[in-house]
Amino acid sequence: MGLSSSFRPMTAGRRGPLKGRAVPPGDKSVSHRALIIGAAAVGETQIEGLLEASDVLSTAAAMRRLGATVTQAAPGSWRVWGVGVGGFAQSPEPLDFGNSGTGCRLAMGAVATTPIATIFTGDASLRRRPMKRVLEPLSRFGATWQGREGGLLPVTLNGARTPLPIRYTLEVPSAQVKSAMLLAALNVPGRSTIIEPVATRDHTERMLAAFGAQIVWEETKNGTAISVTGEIELSPVRVTVPADPSSAAFALVAALIVPGSEIVLEKIMLNPRRNGLIKTLKEMGADIAVTNKRDTGGEAVGDLRVRHSALVGVEVPPERAPFMIDEYPVLSIAAAFAEGKTVMRGLEELRVKESDRLLAIAAGLKDCGVKVIESRDGLTIEGAGPDGVAGGATIVTHMDHRIAMSFLVAGLASKNPITVDDGTLIDTSFPGFQALMTGLGADIAQATP
Ligand code: S3P
């Protein structure tokens, strides 16, 4: 696996209940999009609450290399002076997206219809992840590419010189692919239509509409057809980034499984295409209340009050997967502490995330003494009950931030502490994870050798 020399094992153990209030960092999906769409607009985009994690900083650096001016005015407060649709300049250097599939795939879309050549690369995890799923559809606009066998990074993408509008039906239920196609369509004359048979997160469409793009939604027998009129000018808006529900998920599950806990997580995005975890946990018996519901910059946000709860296993409907795709690792931890069996299916996409998450979760839970059956597209977890997870293991995280955070959460309620082999990748999405969790009373620290 080749862990870097700076790899940092971390350990979590039992202590008292979690108490207090916390605001998780800005949403990763919205942060990437604000930088990329801001870079394609004319004038100054103001972003408040940007997630300052390495994934998003890679996107900021990439937008600079493509000609936009991107600056930090104050912590979380960023400004982007865009180059206008079709205005990206050829980068003399490769764009390195580190661990970030989202930044890489969205940026591929952003440059695919501008006649420049761009080299994309990333870390060892990203270099293993499939890029053909986005390169092949982008080639329909007239872009060409060369990459390693199977369409792996590094990839050179040659943007189309005379792009043509297309009508394309998505073959994978991926917001990243949909977003890449919508961003590419911005610099194409006429109207391009992307059909999504399975609904996925819609932040790109929403933000493009807010920036003045002409977006039309239409229900067809094959799914939602999203049409974008190209060669338009995007006008900057002020983007307020809500707190990331996928990051909030770790403190949320921790409070559910640590006895006596009661916490409030503030400003959490409540977009209905991101709320599958809360729905599922409630079905498991979780005491979660949404309070103070309001609207911030086009997205609903609210505060989540979470209390320790007796959880029971459930069958998670496979069609819910796109609305909680990043939350299965931490849901698996909740399932391990529940009474009874939890069945999760329709999850083949988890095999091509930052790691093969089905494999990583199954192996980690088994090491902690939990019974798991791994199938091609899912997991069946035999809940060990609130006091039945042995722990005491060192988990292999496979360069995956969400595997690391999930098993640290498990360590807060298992009989013996749990160590993760490397916590450095947590910074890719949630740099303040340890501070936020310890602020609520959790015992999470660097492992002592
Ligand atoms: C994301 C979409 C999801 C998700 C990723 C962020 C996005 O990926 O896993 O963390 O911001 O569009 P897919 O759309 O490929 O499933």
Side-chain angles (χ1 to χ4, degrees), residues 27-30 32-33 55 101-103 105-106 129 133 172-179 200-204 246 274 321-322 324-327 349-350 352-354 357 401-402:
D27 185 68
K28 185 150 71 78
S29 294
V30 171
H32 283 297
R33 285 157 174 81
D55 272 12
T102 308
R105 293 183 177 127
L106 267 58
R129 296 181 64 188
R133 55 175 49 204
V172 259
S174 163
Q176 296 180 357
V177 177
K178 171 178 65 176
S179 301
T200 61
R201 67 189 71 190
D202 57 0
H203 309 301
T204 306
S246 303
R274 298 285 298 279
M324 53 182 295
I325 195 68
D326 292 336
E327 280 67 84
E349 277 295 298
L350 291 196
V352 291
K353 293 293 179 190
E354 285 81 332
R357 286 186 172 157
H401 53 132
R402 297 200 201 278

Side-chain angles (χ1 to χ4, degrees), residues 348-423:
E348 42 281 270
E349 277 295 298
L350 291 196
R351 298 215 178 266
V352 291
K353 293 293 179 190
E354 285 81 332
S355 70
D356 176 342
R357 286 186 172 157
L358 295 180
L359 183 145
I361 297 166
L365 285 179
K366 281 181 196 160
D367 289 347
C368 292
V370 180
K371 285 191 193 138
V372 191
I373 300 169
E374 178 189 347
S375 67
R376 182 189 56 80
D377 72 335
L379 296 172
T380 299
I381 298 172
E382 208 57 73
D387 202 30
V389 178
T394 296
I395 305 300
V396 183
T397 53
H398 300 278
M399 297 185 76
D400 190 326
H401 53 132
R402 297 200 201 278
I403 296 298
M405 290 185 277
S406 297
F407 279 94
L408 288 171
V409 166
L412 303 178
S414 53
K415 288 186 193 159
N416 303 289
I418 293 176
T419 298
V420 298
D421 66 354
D422 185 19

Side-chain angles (χ1 to χ4, degrees), residues 53-83:
S54 53
D55 272 12
V56 174
L57 298 179
S58 298
T59 294
M63 292 304 111
R64 282 192 197 108
R65 288 201 189 283
L66 293 171
T69 303
V70 183
T71 58
Q72 187 202 40
S77 178
W78 287 64
R79 305 287 175 266
V80 181
W81 283 269
V83 294

Side-chain angles (χ1 to χ4, degrees), residues 31-357:
S31 295
H32 283 297
R33 285 157 174 81
L35 291 168
I36 296 172
I37 295 174
V42 174
E44 185 193 275
T45 294
Q46 298 183 12
I47 310 170
E48 302 305 332
L50 187 88
L51 170 67
E52 290 169 341
S54 53
D55 272 12
V56 174
L57 298 179
S58 298
T59 294
M63 292 304 111
R64 282 192 197 108
R65 288 201 189 283
L66 293 171
T69 303
V70 183
T71 58
Q72 187 202 40
S77 178
W78 287 64
R79 305 287 175 266
V80 181
W81 283 269
V83 294
V85 166
F88 287 125
Q90 181 158 310
S91 168
E93 303 291 336
L95 306 186
D96 186 345
F97 283 92
N99 198 248
S100 179
T102 308
C104 182
R105 293 183 177 127
L106 267 58
M108 284 177 167
V111 299
T113 50
T114 300
I116 55 173
T118 312
I119 303 170
F120 291 83
T121 191
D123 71 7
S125 157
L126 193 57
R127 288 199 305 271
R128 283 191 293 267
R129 296 181 64 188
M131 293 299 153
K132 245 192 201 162
R133 55 175 49 204
V134 60
L135 293 165
E136 197 284 320
L138 288 173
S139 69
R140 316 243 172 150
F141 285 113
T144 60
W145 58 275
Q146 300 85 44
R148 283 195 295 135
E149 180 98 11
L152 301 179
L153 297 180
V155 160
T156 302
L157 179 61
N158 302 295
R161 198 157 285 281
T162 47
L164 295 172
I166 59 162
R167 189 175 172 89
Y168 176 75
T169 303
L170 292 165
E171 288 170 9
V172 259
S174 163
Q176 296 180 357
V177 177
K178 171 178 65 176
S179 301
M181 297 300 280
L182 295 172
L183 292 168
L186 288 174
N187 197 36
V188 179
R191 204 164 121 147
S192 297
T193 302
I194 312 304
I195 299 160
E196 107 169 317
V198 177
T200 61
R201 67 189 71 190
D202 57 0
H203 309 301
T204 306
E205 303 87 297
R206 283 171 182 257
M207 199 180 290
L208 283 175
F211 275 69
Q214 286 176 40
I215 308 265
V216 178
W217 287 264
E218 216 182 318
E219 289 312 320
T220 73
K221 64 176 193 323
N222 299 325
T224 309
I226 309 158
S227 298
V228 191
T229 303
E231 293 189 329
I232 43 88
E233 189 168 304
L234 298 175
S235 309
V237 294
R238 189 184 151 99
V239 179
T240 304
V241 184
D244 194 328
S246 303
S247 296
F250 300 105
L252 196 163
V253 169
L256 292 174
I257 63 174
V258 174
S261 298
E262 174 163 355
I263 62 167
V264 176
L265 299 167
E266 297 176 11
K267 292 190 196 164
I268 310 302
M269 184 206 278
L270 300 174
N271 181 310
R273 295 190 181 192
R274 298 285 298 279
N275 70 359
L277 177 73
I278 294 179
K279 233 182 217 172
T280 305
L281 289 170
K282 282 189 169 172
E283 289 167 3
M284 295 173 79
D287 181 350
I288 304 170
V290 181
T291 61
N292 199 12
K293 233 174 151 177
R294 58 215 185 265
D295 199 271
T296 310
E299 291 282 4
V301 300
D303 301 340
L304 304 180
R305 200 222 55 225
V306 191
R307 291 195 182 122
H308 169 249
S309 307
L311 301 175
V312 293
V314 290
E315 222 172 281
V316 187
E319 61 276 11
R320 197 178 285 164
F323 298 171
M324 53 182 295
I325 195 68
D326 292 336
E327 280 67 84
Y328 285 93
V330 78
L331 174 66
S332 302
I333 302 305
F337 286 89
E339 296 285 359
K341 194 190 278 183
T342 294
V343 183
M344 313 173 189
R345 290 188 343 265
L347 303 181
E348 42 281 270
E349 277 295 298
L350 291 196
R351 298 215 178 266
V352 291
K353 293 293 179 190
E354 285 81 332
S355 70
D356 176 342
R357 286 186 172 157

